[in-house]
Amino acid sequence: MGIIKITDELHDDLRDASRAMARSINAQAEYWMRIGMLAELHPTLNYQQLTRRLLKTGTMPLLELVDELDQD
C-alpha cells in the first residue's frame, strides 16, 4: 500500500462523496479510481454499465476485470 498526494480541494470532495455514499474515504477513492480507469479503457461503456460490471465482479483485481471486459 502506498500514499498518494492529492489537492486539498479533491480531498474535500472525496470526504463529501464518501459521506454521501456511506463509504470510507479510502473506499471512495478506490471506487473513483476503478471507475475512472475502466472508463478510460472502455469509453463505449456508460457509467451504469461500468458500475454493473463492478458489482458483478466484487473485489476482483482491476487488471483481471479489465481483461474480462475486453473479452465481452
Side-chain angles (χ1 to χ4, degrees):
M1 178 168 70
I3 296 174
I4 60 169
K5 292 193 179 252
I6 59 174
T7 65
D8 290 338
E9 293 81 11
L10 183 57
H11 189 268
D12 291 342
D13 292 341
L14 187 57
R15 187 180 315 114
D16 292 343
S18 69
R19 283 186 195 129
M21 301 302 289
R23 295 183 177 120
S24 70
I25 291 176
N26 287 344
Q28 184 65 40
E30 183 177 336
Y31 177 76
W32 278 353
M33 286 186 264
R34 291 172 68 89
I35 284 290
M37 185 173 178
L38 291 175
E40 284 185 347
L41 294 172
H42 300 281
T44 59
L45 298 178
N46 64 35
Y47 176 75
Q48 193 173 35
Q49 292 167 317
L50 293 172
T51 55
R52 196 174 300 132
R53 303 286 172 104
L54 284 176
L55 285 171
K56 269 188 359 185
T57 57
T59 59
M60 177 184 289
L62 194 52
L63 289 178
E64 287 179 29
L65 177 57
V66 168
D67 289 342
E68 184 176 300
L69 284 172
D70 286 340
Q71 294 172 11
D72 288 349

